[in-house]
Amino acid sequence: MTNQKIDAGKQFDFGLTSRNYAKFRDIYPREFYERLVQKNLCVRGQKVLDIGTGTGVLPRNMAEWGADWTGTDISENQIREAERLSREAGLEIDFRVSGAESLDFADATFDVVTACQCFWYFDYKKIAPVLHRVLKPHGKLVVLCMEWLPFEDKVASASEELVLKYNPAWTGGGSVKEPIRIPSEMLDYFSLESHEEYDLAVPFTREKWNGRMKTCRGIGASLPPEKIAEWEAEHLALLERIAPESFTVAHYAALAVLAAK
């Protein structure tokens, strides 16, 4: 993928890091999912589509609440990992390779569409009418993200600096707690119903935090293998200096619920 607004147009592909993504990116605390359930979203009796599903983290972790899940992603490697992990967990989730702007589901198929940690990658002008079409009347679009807070956490800050050393064009850092921005193109088809932002302290070991950072867009999804190896060696040495074996990293989570007009 390339996007001139992201990493100065530098190409990236999460499919290059799918195995590590499957191992290290399933990190959302239970509260992240329970916030949706409290809003009666993604629960039994609802058909839910997760776009940009990656390795299927959201459908797999929310399966216990009984919704009928489908997940799509543009990356064949990501979908392959999603299918493997779901199969190993004994879950039946329908995963498909598809760009979110070209979904071919029938009209009014889903009660809810979710977009977790991926909303900024889409072409909003193209995707808005597509999501509106596949949702049932007054269906919900739920946008979610969880970001580390580098200005509040020394481990996150130092890790960001090292990513930028190897990939100066990376624009994935510098997060602050704020509402998810909903572009005007989406508001032609949806109305913003609610939003919330809340703090989380997410637990990691050195290995797991290294893996989380290694699978970010600025490293595993865009650098050649030899540079990834160099970065990883330096990052592990950094963590040994500044972090205990187990620690938490300050994050915030945000969600926005939109209703189809």
Side-chain angles (χ1 to χ4, degrees):
M1 295 179 63
T2 57
N3 185 322
Q4 292 303 314
K5 296 180 180 179
I6 297 173
D7 301 348
K10 183 180 177 68
Q11 187 173 11
F12 61 94
D13 178 2
F14 284 107
L16 297 173
T17 189
S18 290
R19 273 287 173 164
N20 281 324
Y21 200 107
K23 184 177 181 180
F24 293 113
R25 293 290 292 266
D26 191 348
I27 58 173
Y28 302 113
R30 187 171 178 82
E31 179 183 358
F32 188 81
Y33 307 111
E34 290 177 338
R35 295 263 179 162
L36 293 179
V37 177
Q38 290 165 7
K39 294 179 179 294
N40 195 37
L41 294 167
C42 308
V43 295
R44 191 174 306 280
Q46 297 176 351
K47 288 180 66 66
V48 185
L49 171 64
D50 186 40
I51 57 174
T53 196
T55 58
V57 173
L58 199 67
R60 285 187 287 106
N61 282 282
M62 294 206 70
E64 66 177 277
W65 284 285
D68 179 6
W69 283 89
T70 299
T72 62
D73 198 279
I74 198 171
S75 169
E76 184 176 348
N77 287 345
Q78 293 285 74
I79 290 297
R80 186 179 298 115
E81 288 299 306
E83 291 174 334
R84 177 183 67 81
L85 292 168
S86 294
R87 185 170 56 250
E88 291 175 357
L91 300 173
E92 294 186 6
I93 300 172
D94 180 17
F95 289 109
R96 307 184 188 187
V97 178
S98 175
E101 293 88 351
S102 55
L103 299 171
D104 61 0
F105 300 103
D107 294 1
T109 297
F110 299 100
D111 299 284
V112 181
V113 173
T114 56
C116 183
Q117 213 71 22
C118 60
F119 190 61
W120 42 84
Y121 296 128
F122 302 132
D123 183 326
Y124 303 121
K125 187 174 182 179
K126 291 181 179 179
I127 200 174
V130 172
L131 298 184
H132 189 272
R133 180 184 64 78
V134 302
L135 276 168
K136 295 176 182 178
H138 311 297
K140 308 296 185 182
L141 169 61
V142 184
V143 183
L144 307 101
C145 72
M146 185 177 79
E147 305 287 349
W148 62 73
L149 293 166
F151 302 112
E152 300 177 22
D153 190 286
K154 69 175 185 178
V155 173
S157 177
S159 297
E160 275 196 4
E161 289 180 10
L162 191 60
V163 174
L164 288 167
K165 175 182 174 180
Y166 282 79
N167 189 348
W170 179 61
T171 56
S175 292
V176 295
K177 186 178 176 182
E178 61 185 353
I180 294 171
R181 185 183 69 85
I182 306 300
S184 59
E185 295 93 333
M186 300 300 299
L187 296 176
D188 289 338
Y189 293 86
F190 296 89
S191 57
L192 180 61
E193 191 172 83
S194 67
H195 70 88
E196 60 180 298
E197 303 76 41
Y198 54 97
D199 295 319
L200 291 168
V202 183
F204 289 93
T205 62
R206 290 175 188 159
E207 178 191 14
K208 290 181 178 179
W209 178 249
N210 174 72
R212 168 63 185 93
M213 293 300 301
K214 183 170 64 173
T215 56
C216 79
R217 191 179 68 236
I219 300 297
S222 58
L223 295 185
E226 63 274 13
K227 287 297 182 183
I228 296 173
E230 289 180 24
W231 175 89
E232 182 167 28
E234 192 168 348
H235 189 237
L236 287 170
L238 170 69
L239 293 179
E240 287 186 5
R241 294 195 304 271
I242 69 171
E245 177 56 31
S246 298
F247 53 95
T248 61
V249 175
H251 284 67
Y252 85 97
L255 67 90
V257 181
L258 294 89
K261 292 182 177 179

